[in-house]
Amino acid sequence: LSWDPAVDNSGKIASYEIQLDDGKILKSSKTSVNVSKLSVGEHSYKVRAIDKDKNVGEWSDLQYFTVNDMTAPTSVKAKATVDGYSVLFTLSGKDNSGSIARYVVTCGDKSVETTTDTAVLSDFGVGKQTAFIIAYDAEGNASKEAKVSFNVKDATPPEQVTGLAIPLIDSKYKATLSWDPAVDNSGKIASYEIQLDDGKILKSSKTSINVSKLSIGEHFYKVRAIDKAKNA
């Protein structure tokens, strides 16, 4: 806080008294004084001069000034919950104003801004990802960047199996069931499940399986593919 030098008949001012916001009286031998730990909002101060003989002058007119929030949010955290190829972010942080005005969540080329404590980003690829979060208060002060990592797993099942062949039955009532390779977005099928006559589920890592002890009469079978992420 600063002011012009006061005028006294003695030619010299001994000191100044400064009152900030009708509070404690501060003193200075100069025409300025430093104040700290000011709260956000409007403040006022007034000054009076004291000469060498301790004669006290009149208070000056009040001078008003405003302190803006200059403290960025802190303790910013995020929790990521993966649902298929979308991720829900639960956000938190602290600010001296009492609340966070907005969050910005960025992951690669994806970004979303929210004024609540949750945000959603979608259409992720499979694999480990890292998102970065910045919190802003009402004055636009930005927090340090926080980050959260998550893993997006393959959630797409293989396509329906086709090309089931009618097997040849040998004299020992055995047969080889076979089908075309299935198609999956991951590029690889882990295994196949085969159900014969609505019975027990058989498994095979190949596109065929041998069955035996077949009874005389009509039979049927169906096949489904399972990928590495166990999508069926």
Side-chain angles (χ1 to χ4, degrees):
L1 312 179
S2 62
W3 52 90
D4 292 339
V7 176
D8 185 66
N9 65 317
S10 68
K12 187 175 182 182
I13 300 298
S15 64
Y16 295 92
E17 291 185 340
I18 307 97
Q19 188 173 40
L20 177 65
D21 296 331
D22 293 327
K24 183 179 179 180
I25 301 295
L26 308 174
K27 292 185 179 183
S28 176
S29 61
K30 302 176 182 180
T31 57
S32 64
V33 67
N34 294 322
V35 292
S36 60
K37 298 182 180 179
L38 291 165
S39 61
V40 174
E42 188 177 73
H43 297 271
S44 66
Y45 73 100
K46 56 186 178 181
V47 184
R48 66 182 179 182
I50 302 173
D51 64 18
K52 293 182 293 181
D53 294 320
K54 298 185 180 180
N55 297 303
V56 179
E58 294 184 9
W59 285 109
S60 67
D61 293 334
L62 283 171
Q63 175 64 52
Y64 293 91
F65 63 97
T66 301
V67 174
N68 295 319
D69 181 7
M70 301 177 70
T71 303
T74 60
S75 303
V76 177
K77 296 179 182 179
K79 178 183 177 182
T81 303
V82 179
D83 182 12
Y85 300 111
S86 296
V87 180
L88 170 67
F89 297 92
T90 304
L91 311 166
S92 64
K94 296 179 181 178
D95 188 66
N96 63 322
S97 67
S99 63
I100 304 294
R102 62 190 176 96
Y103 295 92
V104 175
V105 181
T106 304
C107 187
D109 60 353
K110 306 177 192 302
S111 184
V112 63
E113 181 176 314
T114 179
T115 56
T116 68
D117 59 0
T118 59
V120 175
L121 288 175
S122 302
D123 300 323
F124 281 99
V126 175
K128 189 174 183 180
Q129 317 271 354
T130 299
F132 298 90
I133 302 91
I134 299 177
Y136 295 85
D137 63 18
E139 293 291 336
N141 297 304
S143 71
K144 291 182 179 179
E145 194 174 62
K147 64 181 180 179
V148 60
S149 296
F150 53 93
N151 190 33
V152 177
K153 296 181 179 179
D154 179 12
T156 304
E159 296 181 15
Q160 186 180 43
V161 176
T162 60
L164 276 69
I166 299 174
L168 295 175
I169 314 299
D170 65 17
S171 60
K172 295 182 180 180
Y173 302 99
K174 295 179 180 180
T176 299
L177 312 180
S178 63
W179 52 90
D180 292 341
V183 176
D184 185 66
N185 66 315
S186 68
K188 187 176 181 181
I189 300 298
S191 63
Y192 295 91
E193 290 185 342
I194 307 95
Q195 188 172 38
L196 177 64
D197 298 331
D198 289 330
K200 182 180 179 180
I201 301 294
L202 308 175
K203 293 186 178 182
S204 175
S205 60
K206 302 177 182 179
T207 56
S208 64
I209 190 171
N210 295 320
V211 293
S212 60
K213 297 181 181 180
L214 291 167
S215 61
I216 296 172
E218 186 176 60
H219 297 271
F220 64 88
Y221 71 102
K222 54 187 177 181
V223 183
R224 69 177 181 181
I226 300 173
D227 66 18
K228 293 182 292 183
K230 298 184 179 180
N231 298 301

